[in-house]
Amino acid sequence: MTRPDSGAPMQLVLEPEQEDLRAAVRAFAREESPNTLISRVADGDHAPVPGLWRGLADRLDLLGLTVPEAHGGSGAGQVERAVALEELGRALVPVPYLSCAALAVDTLTTLADERAGTELLPAIAAGNLLVAVAVTENGRWDTEGLATRAEPSTHGEGWELTGYKETVLDGAEADVLLVLAAAPDGPGFFQVDRDARGLTRTPLEPLDPTRSFARVGLDTTPARRLNTPDARAALVRIRDLASVAVAAEALGVLAHSLETAIEYAKVRVQFGRYIGSYQAVKHLCADSHVDLELSESVLRYAAWAADHAPDELPVAAAHARITVPGAAFRTAARTIEVLGGVGFTWEHDAHLYYKRAKTLELLLGDPADAARVLADRIMPSTTSEVSEVTR
């Protein structure tokens, strides 16, 4: 695959090659990540699954989809990666793809630090290195109130970080952390290796038991500052691309939840009738179908804009962030309602999709923050008004 050319007409329908990619990822998920594996992970076994991560790298070449070809990747686009994320989300495949192949790769390619790119990107694409991004301290991806501090090292060259990061996705397992910190001359990103002095990583008990989160502590921890002329502008783009990635995974969660509700409504009989014949159940499924159609269009446009229309990406990404994860959560909730009693049992996987959808909705900040971002980009003067309404 090669990166799409700029100036291409907007396209919301996947091309045959992209549909082939979808089929390949779906088949891989079905073969390598059965429900028994998901249940084991949900029970607390977050150890890497042998062969699963390796298979994404070797069999499907998924880890380097958006890694430049010069660094060992495919040089494909956000549309292709969105397809992969959608299918991985549909099956809740327990791999750190969102954290490493999406968030970390986007951070490294946005910062364009040549040394970090040469050192880390080929290893990510080959499946030999897990990199996580540590940004949030207050639940939001921004530089406001940044408490983690960076100071020139007292032991020679380099920097030392002191502070903490909350809810770092796959932070406990990562080989390298890309940490946002406030330096004397402004915020910047810093590379921290897993064995660095003063680095602590405490696994958290997440809402979504199929995911791994950690609290990262830094105590005069050695770090290397990445070349970042404007960290604030870089973070804005990183968050936009992250919004597209999160929306893609959420779309897979949404699609699976709707399919589960429809299939159950076709076979469950109550009072001598299939429950799918009741108007109330039809309404629930119809509402979810509307959410699916809207979410797919919003995501496809945002992914296309990331590849072809950078000027349109800020609004498109903000729109995807506020639309798709919320729609996925509503659909997952409706699915549990359609399933009835079985939907509330631990044995059924409906609750896992419900929790994944809510986690995705909050991963980059709460819905109020998403509304502020979208309002600011559509009409900056309305931001303060939205803040008051959503406060």
mmCIF file of all heavy atoms in Angstrom, residues 88-107:
data_model
loop_
_atom_site.group_PDB
_atom_site.id
_atom_site.type_symbol
_atom_site.label_atom_id
_atom_site.label_comp_id
_atom_site.label_asym_id
_atom_site.label_seq_id
_atom_site.Cartn_x
_atom_site.Cartn_y
_atom_site.Cartn_z
ATOM 1 N N LEU A 88 -10.541 -4.616 14.578
ATOM 2 C CA LEU A 88 -9.990 -4.995 15.873
ATOM 3 C C LEU A 88 -10.963 -4.629 16.992
ATOM 4 O O LEU A 88 -11.105 -5.376 17.972
ATOM 5 C CB LEU A 88 -8.640 -4.321 16.090
ATOM 6 C CG LEU A 88 -7.511 -4.755 15.144
ATOM 7 C CD1 LEU A 88 -6.269 -3.898 15.368
ATOM 8 C CD2 LEU A 88 -7.179 -6.233 15.326
ATOM 9 N N GLY A 89 -11.640 -3.490 16.866
ATOM 10 C CA GLY A 89 -12.641 -3.107 17.847
ATOM 11 C C GLY A 89 -13.872 -3.991 17.790
ATOM 12 O O GLY A 89 -14.468 -4.316 18.821
ATOM 13 N N ARG A 90 -14.250 -4.407 16.610
ATOM 14 C CA ARG A 90 -15.417 -5.269 16.452
ATOM 15 C C ARG A 90 -15.235 -6.580 17.227
ATOM 16 O O ARG A 90 -16.197 -7.134 17.748
ATOM 17 C CB ARG A 90 -15.635 -5.574 14.967
ATOM 18 C CG ARG A 90 -16.833 -6.458 14.655
ATOM 19 C CD ARG A 90 -16.796 -6.881 13.197
ATOM 20 N NE ARG A 90 -17.051 -5.754 12.308
ATOM 21 C CZ ARG A 90 -18.243 -5.434 11.835
ATOM 22 N NH1 ARG A 90 -19.301 -6.157 12.167
ATOM 23 N NH2 ARG A 90 -18.387 -4.417 11.012
ATOM 24 N N ALA A 91 -13.999 -7.074 17.282
ATOM 25 C CA ALA A 91 -13.727 -8.353 17.952
ATOM 26 C C ALA A 91 -13.060 -8.180 19.318
ATOM 27 O O ALA A 91 -12.721 -9.177 19.964
ATOM 28 C CB ALA A 91 -12.847 -9.226 17.063
ATOM 29 N N LEU A 92 -12.863 -6.944 19.762
ATOM 30 C CA LEU A 92 -12.180 -6.666 21.033
ATOM 31 C C LEU A 92 -10.836 -7.395 21.110
ATOM 32 O O LEU A 92 -10.460 -7.927 22.163
ATOM 33 C CB LEU A 92 -13.055 -7.067 22.232
ATOM 34 C CG LEU A 92 -14.401 -6.365 22.393
ATOM 35 C CD1 LEU A 92 -15.085 -6.835 23.670
ATOM 36 C CD2 LEU A 92 -14.254 -4.845 22.407
ATOM 37 N N VAL A 93 -10.102 -7.429 20.009
ATOM 38 C CA VAL A 93 -8.827 -8.144 19.979
ATOM 39 C C VAL A 93 -7.876 -7.519 21.014
ATOM 40 O O VAL A 93 -7.610 -6.312 20.963
ATOM 41 C CB VAL A 93 -8.199 -8.086 18.574
ATOM 42 C CG1 VAL A 93 -6.877 -8.851 18.556
ATOM 43 C CG2 VAL A 93 -9.165 -8.665 17.543
ATOM 44 N N PRO A 94 -7.383 -8.315 21.964
ATOM 45 C CA PRO A 94 -6.579 -7.759 23.071
ATOM 46 C C PRO A 94 -5.121 -7.504 22.684
ATOM 47 O O PRO A 94 -4.207 -8.204 23.106
ATOM 48 C CB PRO A 94 -6.696 -8.849 24.149
ATOM 49 C CG PRO A 94 -6.828 -10.113 23.377
ATOM 50 C CD PRO A 94 -7.625 -9.756 22.137
ATOM 51 N N VAL A 95 -4.912 -6.486 21.884
ATOM 52 C CA VAL A 95 -3.569 -6.078 21.480
ATOM 53 C C VAL A 95 -3.440 -4.567 21.674
ATOM 54 O O VAL A 95 -4.442 -3.838 21.621
ATOM 55 C CB VAL A 95 -3.285 -6.427 19.996
ATOM 56 C CG1 VAL A 95 -3.132 -7.926 19.820
ATOM 57 C CG2 VAL A 95 -4.394 -5.890 19.094
ATOM 58 N N PRO A 96 -2.226 -4.071 21.902
ATOM 59 C CA PRO A 96 -2.021 -2.624 22.119
ATOM 60 C C PRO A 96 -1.943 -1.841 20.810
ATOM 61 O O PRO A 96 -1.095 -0.963 20.662
ATOM 62 C CB PRO A 96 -0.710 -2.591 22.895
ATOM 63 C CG PRO A 96 0.039 -3.783 22.409
ATOM 64 C CD PRO A 96 -0.994 -4.847 22.171
ATOM 65 N N TYR A 97 -2.830 -2.160 19.866
ATOM 66 C CA TYR A 97 -2.758 -1.526 18.552
ATOM 67 C C TYR A 97 -3.090 -0.032 18.632
ATOM 68 O O TYR A 97 -2.402 0.796 18.036
ATOM 69 C CB TYR A 97 -3.723 -2.218 17.587
ATOM 70 C CG TYR A 97 -3.508 -1.830 16.137
ATOM 71 C CD1 TYR A 97 -2.579 -2.508 15.361
ATOM 72 C CD2 TYR A 97 -4.207 -0.779 15.555
ATOM 73 C CE1 TYR A 97 -2.353 -2.157 14.033
ATOM 74 C CE2 TYR A 97 -3.991 -0.420 14.231
ATOM 75 C CZ TYR A 97 -3.064 -1.113 13.479
ATOM 76 O OH TYR A 97 -2.846 -0.748 12.168
ATOM 77 N N LEU A 98 -4.135 0.319 19.351
ATOM 78 C CA LEU A 98 -4.520 1.728 19.448
ATOM 79 C C LEU A 98 -3.415 2.557 20.090
ATOM 80 O O LEU A 98 -3.089 3.646 19.610
ATOM 81 C CB LEU A 98 -5.819 1.864 20.239
ATOM 82 C CG LEU A 98 -6.339 3.286 20.465
ATOM 83 C CD1 LEU A 98 -6.643 3.979 19.144
ATOM 84 C CD2 LEU A 98 -7.591 3.277 21.353
ATOM 85 N N SER A 99 -2.824 2.036 21.152
ATOM 86 C CA SER A 99 -1.810 2.805 21.875
ATOM 87 C C SER A 99 -0.509 2.921 21.097
ATOM 88 O O SER A 99 0.117 3.984 21.062
ATOM 89 C CB SER A 99 -1.538 2.165 23.237
ATOM 90 O OG SER A 99 -1.047 0.846 23.077
ATOM 91 N N CYS A 100 -0.087 1.829 20.455
ATOM 92 C CA CYS A 100 1.237 1.792 19.826
ATOM 93 C C CYS A 100 1.190 2.119 18.339
ATOM 94 O O CYS A 100 1.840 3.068 17.875
ATOM 95 C CB CYS A 100 1.870 0.420 20.052
ATOM 96 S SG CYS A 100 3.560 0.269 19.424
ATOM 97 N N ALA A 101 0.414 1.344 17.566
ATOM 98 C CA ALA A 101 0.397 1.524 16.108
ATOM 99 C C ALA A 101 -0.385 2.746 15.676
ATOM 100 O O ALA A 101 -0.290 3.161 14.520
ATOM 101 C CB ALA A 101 -0.178 0.271 15.440
ATOM 102 N N ALA A 102 -1.163 3.328 16.587
ATOM 103 C CA ALA A 102 -1.909 4.549 16.254
ATOM 104 C C ALA A 102 -1.350 5.750 17.021
ATOM 105 O O ALA A 102 -0.692 6.621 16.446
ATOM 106 C CB ALA A 102 -3.400 4.363 16.546
ATOM 107 N N LEU A 103 -1.572 5.815 18.322
ATOM 108 C CA LEU A 103 -1.189 7.009 19.087
ATOM 109 C C LEU A 103 0.321 7.255 19.058
ATOM 110 O O LEU A 103 0.767 8.389 18.822
ATOM 111 C CB LEU A 103 -1.670 6.878 20.531
ATOM 112 C CG LEU A 103 -3.164 6.618 20.751
ATOM 113 C CD1 LEU A 103 -3.493 6.645 22.237
ATOM 114 C CD2 LEU A 103 -4.014 7.629 19.995
ATOM 115 N N ALA A 104 1.106 6.212 19.295
ATOM 116 C CA ALA A 104 2.561 6.403 19.331
ATOM 117 C C ALA A 104 3.123 6.713 17.946
ATOM 118 O O ALA A 104 3.967 7.609 17.798
ATOM 119 C CB ALA A 104 3.231 5.160 19.912
ATOM 120 N N VAL A 105 2.663 5.989 16.935
ATOM 121 C CA VAL A 105 3.154 6.249 15.571
ATOM 122 C C VAL A 105 2.787 7.668 15.143
ATOM 123 O O VAL A 105 3.619 8.389 14.566
ATOM 124 C CB VAL A 105 2.579 5.215 14.587
ATOM 125 C CG1 VAL A 105 2.812 5.653 13.140
ATOM 126 C CG2 VAL A 105 3.216 3.852 14.831
ATOM 127 N N ASP A 106 1.568 8.098 15.424
ATOM 128 C CA ASP A 106 1.161 9.459 15.046
ATOM 129 C C ASP A 106 1.979 10.503 15.786
ATOM 130 O O ASP A 106 2.306 11.560 15.234
ATOM 131 C CB ASP A 106 -0.328 9.663 15.323
ATOM 132 C CG ASP A 106 -1.212 8.877 14.371
ATOM 133 O OD1 ASP A 106 -0.723 8.470 13.302
ATOM 134 O OD2 ASP A 106 -2.397 8.660 14.701
ATOM 135 N N THR A 107 2.300 10.233 17.040
ATOM 136 C CA THR A 107 3.120 11.176 17.800
ATOM 137 C C THR A 107 4.513 11.288 17.187
ATOM 138 O O THR A 107 5.028 12.391 16.970
ATOM 139 C CB THR A 107 3.225 10.726 19.272
ATOM 140 O OG1 THR A 107 1.921 10.696 19.856
ATOM 141 C CG2 THR A 107 4.101 11.680 20.070
#
